[in-house]
Amino acid sequence: MQRKSMLGVVGVCLLALFMAGCQSGNQQTESQPSAPNEGETGAAKSGPAAPQKARVAAPVEVNVTAPAGTELSVRLNDTIDTGKTQPGASFAGSLAAALVVDGKEVAPVGSKVTGKVTNVVSSGRLSTPAEVTLALTSLTPASGGPVEISTTAWSQKATSHKTRNLEMGGGGGGAGALIGALAGGKKGALIGGLVGAGGGTGAAAYTGKKEIVLPPETQLAFKLSAPATFTLKGK
Protein backbone atom coordinates (compact mmCIF):
# COMPACT_ATOMS: atom_id res chain seq x y z
CA MET A 1 0.00 0.00 0.00
CA GLN A 2 2.84 2.39 0.85
CA ARG A 3 4.62 1.36 -2.37
CA LYS A 4 1.65 2.35 -4.47
CA SER A 5 1.44 5.68 -2.67
CA MET A 6 5.10 6.40 -3.43
CA LEU A 7 4.67 5.51 -7.06
CA GLY A 8 1.76 7.92 -7.25
CA VAL A 9 3.79 10.74 -5.73
CA VAL A 10 6.66 10.11 -8.14
CA GLY A 11 4.28 10.16 -11.08
CA VAL A 12 2.76 13.43 -9.97
CA CYS A 13 6.25 14.96 -9.67
CA LEU A 14 7.26 13.76 -13.12
CA LEU A 15 4.08 15.16 -14.60
CA ALA A 16 4.68 18.49 -12.89
CA LEU A 17 8.24 18.65 -14.25
CA PHE A 18 7.03 17.81 -17.76
CA MET A 19 4.39 20.53 -17.63
CA ALA A 20 6.93 23.08 -16.37
CA GLY A 21 9.32 22.24 -19.24
CA CYS A 22 6.59 22.65 -21.86
CA GLN A 23 5.59 26.01 -20.42
CA SER A 24 9.23 27.28 -20.48
CA GLY A 25 9.63 26.24 -24.15
CA ASN A 26 6.49 28.06 -25.13
CA GLN A 27 7.72 31.25 -23.41
CA GLN A 28 11.07 31.15 -25.29
CA THR A 29 9.30 30.63 -28.59
CA GLU A 30 7.00 33.58 -27.97
CA SER A 31 9.91 35.86 -26.94
CA GLN A 32 11.84 35.38 -30.23
CA PRO A 33 11.06 38.13 -32.83
CA SER A 34 9.43 36.99 -36.00
CA ALA A 35 11.55 37.21 -39.16
CA PRO A 36 10.44 40.01 -41.52
CA ASN A 37 8.91 38.97 -44.77
CA GLU A 38 10.40 39.84 -48.15
CA GLY A 39 8.17 42.87 -48.64
CA GLU A 40 9.13 44.39 -45.31
CA THR A 41 12.86 43.83 -46.05
CA GLY A 42 12.59 45.62 -49.38
CA ALA A 43 10.74 48.51 -47.77
CA ALA A 44 13.43 48.86 -45.10
CA LYS A 45 16.22 48.99 -47.70
CA SER A 46 14.45 51.54 -49.85
CA GLY A 47 13.38 53.75 -46.96
CA PRO A 48 14.93 57.06 -45.99
CA ALA A 49 17.21 55.35 -43.45
CA ALA A 50 19.09 53.49 -46.23
CA PRO A 51 22.64 54.95 -46.82
CA GLN A 52 23.16 56.88 -50.08
CA LYS A 53 26.34 57.80 -51.98
CA ALA A 54 27.27 61.49 -51.85
CA ARG A 55 26.90 63.32 -55.16
CA VAL A 56 29.93 65.21 -56.54
CA ALA A 57 29.08 68.88 -57.02
CA ALA A 58 29.66 70.23 -60.52
CA PRO A 59 32.33 72.98 -60.79
CA VAL A 60 30.93 76.49 -60.59
CA GLU A 61 31.59 78.81 -63.56
CA VAL A 62 32.45 82.43 -62.84
CA ASN A 63 32.54 85.22 -65.42
CA VAL A 64 35.34 87.77 -64.99
CA THR A 65 35.51 90.89 -67.15
CA ALA A 66 38.81 92.66 -67.77
CA PRO A 67 38.09 96.36 -68.41
CA ALA A 68 39.41 98.40 -71.31
CA GLY A 69 42.87 99.69 -70.58
CA THR A 70 44.04 96.45 -68.96
CA GLU A 71 47.69 95.93 -69.92
CA LEU A 72 48.92 92.70 -71.48
CA SER A 73 52.65 91.98 -71.46
CA VAL A 74 53.51 89.56 -74.27
CA ARG A 75 56.57 87.68 -75.52
CA LEU A 76 56.71 86.81 -79.21
CA ASN A 77 57.04 83.21 -80.37
CA ASP A 78 57.71 84.15 -84.00
CA THR A 79 60.12 86.44 -85.82
CA ILE A 80 58.62 89.53 -87.41
CA ASP A 81 60.76 91.12 -90.13
CA THR A 82 59.56 94.12 -92.15
CA GLY A 83 61.59 92.83 -95.10
CA LYS A 84 59.76 89.48 -95.12
CA THR A 85 56.50 89.69 -93.12
CA GLN A 86 53.37 90.58 -95.09
CA PRO A 87 50.46 92.75 -93.86
CA GLY A 88 47.68 90.62 -92.38
CA ALA A 89 50.06 87.86 -91.27
CA SER A 90 49.30 86.15 -87.96
CA PHE A 91 51.75 85.73 -85.13
CA ALA A 92 51.78 83.83 -81.82
CA GLY A 93 53.07 84.68 -78.38
CA SER A 94 52.58 84.10 -74.67
CA LEU A 95 51.90 86.21 -71.59
CA ALA A 96 55.06 87.48 -69.92
CA ALA A 97 53.02 88.44 -66.83
CA ALA A 98 49.85 86.88 -65.41
CA LEU A 99 46.53 88.57 -66.17
CA VAL A 100 44.84 89.25 -62.80
CA VAL A 101 41.37 90.83 -62.54
CA ASP A 102 39.75 91.66 -59.18
CA GLY A 103 42.23 89.42 -57.39
CA LYS A 104 41.50 86.43 -59.65
CA GLU A 105 44.19 85.02 -61.94
CA VAL A 106 42.47 84.87 -65.29
CA ALA A 107 45.48 83.75 -67.33
CA PRO A 108 48.85 82.65 -65.86
CA VAL A 109 52.28 83.40 -67.26
CA GLY A 110 52.78 81.47 -70.51
CA SER A 111 49.11 81.61 -71.57
CA LYS A 112 48.79 81.60 -75.35
CA VAL A 113 47.99 84.75 -77.31
CA THR A 114 47.59 85.32 -81.04
CA GLY A 115 47.77 88.51 -83.05
CA LYS A 116 47.89 90.06 -86.49
CA VAL A 117 50.36 92.28 -88.33
CA THR A 118 48.09 95.15 -89.34
CA ASN A 119 50.70 97.23 -91.21
CA VAL A 120 54.17 96.61 -92.66
CA VAL A 121 56.43 98.98 -94.60
CA SER A 122 59.68 97.56 -95.88
CA SER A 123 62.72 99.80 -95.71
CA GLY A 124 63.51 101.69 -98.92
CA ARG A 125 66.67 103.50 -99.98
CA LEU A 126 67.36 107.08 -98.89
CA SER A 127 63.85 108.18 -97.88
CA THR A 128 61.56 105.29 -96.81
CA PRO A 129 62.04 104.01 -93.24
CA ALA A 130 60.64 100.63 -92.17
CA GLU A 131 57.39 100.47 -90.18
CA VAL A 132 55.43 97.69 -88.43
CA THR A 133 52.14 97.66 -86.49
CA LEU A 134 50.78 94.74 -84.42
CA ALA A 135 47.59 94.00 -82.48
CA LEU A 136 46.40 91.04 -80.40
CA THR A 137 43.29 89.13 -81.45
CA SER A 138 42.84 86.32 -78.86
CA LEU A 139 43.89 85.15 -75.42
CA THR A 140 43.47 81.66 -73.94
CA PRO A 141 42.62 81.95 -70.20
CA ALA A 142 43.42 79.49 -67.41
CA SER A 143 40.42 77.32 -68.33
CA GLY A 144 38.47 77.04 -71.54
CA GLY A 145 39.23 77.95 -75.12
CA PRO A 146 40.59 81.14 -76.69
CA VAL A 147 38.66 84.37 -76.15
CA GLU A 148 38.57 87.07 -78.82
CA ILE A 149 40.04 90.38 -77.64
CA SER A 150 40.68 93.84 -79.08
CA THR A 151 43.81 95.77 -78.19
CA THR A 152 45.50 99.02 -78.99
CA ALA A 153 48.17 98.78 -81.68
CA TRP A 154 51.86 98.38 -80.97
CA SER A 155 53.97 100.08 -83.64
CA GLN A 156 57.56 100.95 -84.40
CA LYS A 157 59.10 103.10 -87.09
CA ALA A 158 62.77 103.08 -88.02
CA THR A 159 64.72 106.33 -88.21
CA SER A 160 64.72 108.11 -91.56
CA HIS A 161 67.62 107.46 -93.93
CA LYS A 162 67.82 111.19 -94.78
CA THR A 163 69.53 112.16 -91.53
CA ARG A 164 72.01 109.32 -91.76
CA ASN A 165 72.73 110.03 -95.42
CA LEU A 166 73.32 113.77 -94.78
CA GLU A 167 75.71 112.92 -91.95
CA MET A 168 77.64 110.59 -94.24
CA GLY A 169 77.69 113.23 -97.04
CA GLY A 170 78.92 115.95 -94.66
CA GLY A 171 81.54 113.65 -93.23
CA GLY A 172 82.83 112.82 -96.68
CA GLY A 173 83.11 116.50 -97.65
CA GLY A 174 84.98 117.35 -94.46
CA ALA A 175 87.44 114.52 -94.95
CA GLY A 176 88.02 115.59 -98.59
CA ALA A 177 88.68 119.19 -97.55
CA LEU A 178 91.21 118.08 -94.97
CA ILE A 179 93.06 115.94 -97.48
CA GLY A 180 93.00 118.76 -100.09
CA ALA A 181 94.38 121.30 -97.60
CA LEU A 182 97.24 119.08 -96.69
CA ALA A 183 98.03 118.46 -100.33
CA GLY A 184 97.85 121.95 -101.86
CA GLY A 185 96.73 124.78 -99.57
CA LYS A 186 93.44 126.68 -100.09
CA LYS A 187 92.99 125.64 -103.70
CA GLY A 188 93.56 122.00 -102.75
CA ALA A 189 91.10 122.36 -99.88
CA LEU A 190 88.36 123.61 -102.23
CA ILE A 191 88.89 120.80 -104.73
CA GLY A 192 89.18 118.22 -101.99
CA GLY A 193 85.99 119.46 -100.40
CA LEU A 194 84.02 119.08 -103.61
CA VAL A 195 85.39 115.61 -104.25
CA GLY A 196 84.74 114.60 -100.67
CA ALA A 197 81.18 115.88 -100.77
CA GLY A 198 80.50 113.99 -103.97
CA GLY A 199 82.04 110.86 -102.55
CA GLY A 200 79.95 111.16 -99.36
CA THR A 201 76.70 111.52 -101.27
CA GLY A 202 77.56 108.56 -103.41
CA ALA A 203 78.19 106.43 -100.35
CA ALA A 204 74.87 107.51 -98.87
CA ALA A 205 73.07 106.61 -102.06
CA TYR A 206 74.30 103.05 -101.81
CA THR A 207 73.55 102.63 -98.12
CA GLY A 208 71.69 99.32 -97.51
CA LYS A 209 68.13 99.02 -96.24
CA LYS A 210 67.41 99.18 -92.52
CA GLU A 211 64.61 96.73 -91.70
CA ILE A 212 62.89 96.23 -88.34
CA VAL A 213 63.41 92.71 -87.00
CA LEU A 214 61.60 91.48 -83.87
CA PRO A 215 63.07 88.08 -82.87
CA PRO A 216 61.35 85.47 -80.64
CA GLU A 217 61.21 86.40 -76.93
CA THR A 218 60.84 90.09 -77.80
CA GLN A 219 58.61 91.57 -75.08
CA LEU A 220 55.81 93.94 -76.17
CA ALA A 221 53.06 95.76 -74.27
CA PHE A 222 49.43 95.99 -75.41
CA LYS A 223 46.27 97.35 -73.78
CA LEU A 224 42.70 96.13 -74.16
CA SER A 225 40.73 98.61 -76.25
CA ALA A 226 37.42 97.01 -75.19
CA PRO A 227 36.32 94.93 -72.17
CA ALA A 228 36.94 91.19 -72.46
CA THR A 229 34.95 88.57 -70.50
CA PHE A 230 36.53 85.27 -69.47
CA THR A 231 34.72 82.26 -67.98
CA LEU A 232 36.60 80.57 -65.14
CA LYS A 233 35.71 77.24 -63.55
CA GLY A 234 35.75 77.38 -59.75
CA LYS A 235 36.22 74.40 -57.42
Side-chain angles (χ1 to χ4, degrees), residues 5 12 61 90 94 99-100 114 117 127 130 138 147 156 177-178 184 227 231:
S5 299
V12 171
E61 292 187 346
S90 298
S94 61
L99 172 60
V100 179
T114 58
V117 181
S127 61
S138 74
V147 175
Q156 182 175 343
L178 177 60
T231 300

Side-chain angles (χ1 to χ4, degrees), residues 168-180 192-193 196-197:
M168 291 184 67
L178 177 60
I179 295 172

Side-chain angles (χ1 to χ4, degrees), residues 80 85-91 115-120 131-135:
I80 298 175
T85 304
Q86 298 298 317
S90 298
F91 66 90
K116 183 172 288 187
V117 181
T118 58
N119 181 51
V120 176
E131 294 181 43
V132 62
T133 305
L134 313 174

Side-chain angles (χ1 to χ4, degrees), residues 77-95:
N77 291 351
D78 308 317
T79 297
I80 298 175
D81 185 340
T82 55
K84 300 176 182 178
T85 304
Q86 298 298 317
S90 298
F91 66 90
S94 61
L95 287 184

Side-chain angles (χ1 to χ4, degrees), residues 91-111:
F91 66 90
S94 61
L95 287 184
L99 172 60
V100 179
V101 180
D102 296 333
K104 298 182 179 65
E105 186 177 78
V106 176
V109 174
S111 296

Side-chain angles (χ1 to χ4, degrees), residues 90-172:
S90 298
F91 66 90
S94 61
L95 287 184
L99 172 60
V100 179
V101 180
D102 296 333
K104 298 182 179 65
E105 186 177 78
V106 176
V109 174
S111 296
K112 180 181 177 181
V113 298
T114 58
K116 183 172 288 187
V117 181
T118 58
N119 181 51
V120 176
V121 176
S122 179
S123 175
R125 298 185 186 278
L126 291 180
S127 61
T128 307
E131 294 181 43
V132 62
T133 305
L134 313 174
L136 298 182
T137 55
S138 74
L139 168 62
T140 302
S143 59
V147 175
E148 292 186 3
I149 59 175
S150 298
T151 68
T152 56
W154 180 95
S155 62
Q156 182 175 343
K157 184 175 182 179
T159 56
S160 174
H161 292 308
K162 290 182 178 180
T163 303
R164 182 165 179 259
N165 292 338
L166 287 173
E167 289 175 352
M168 291 184 67

Side-chain angles (χ1 to χ4, degrees), residues 209-220:
K209 295 181 178 182
K210 187 177 180 182
E211 303 289 358
I212 297 174
V213 179
L214 305 176
E217 296 300 319
T218 299
Q219 188 167 329
L220 309 175

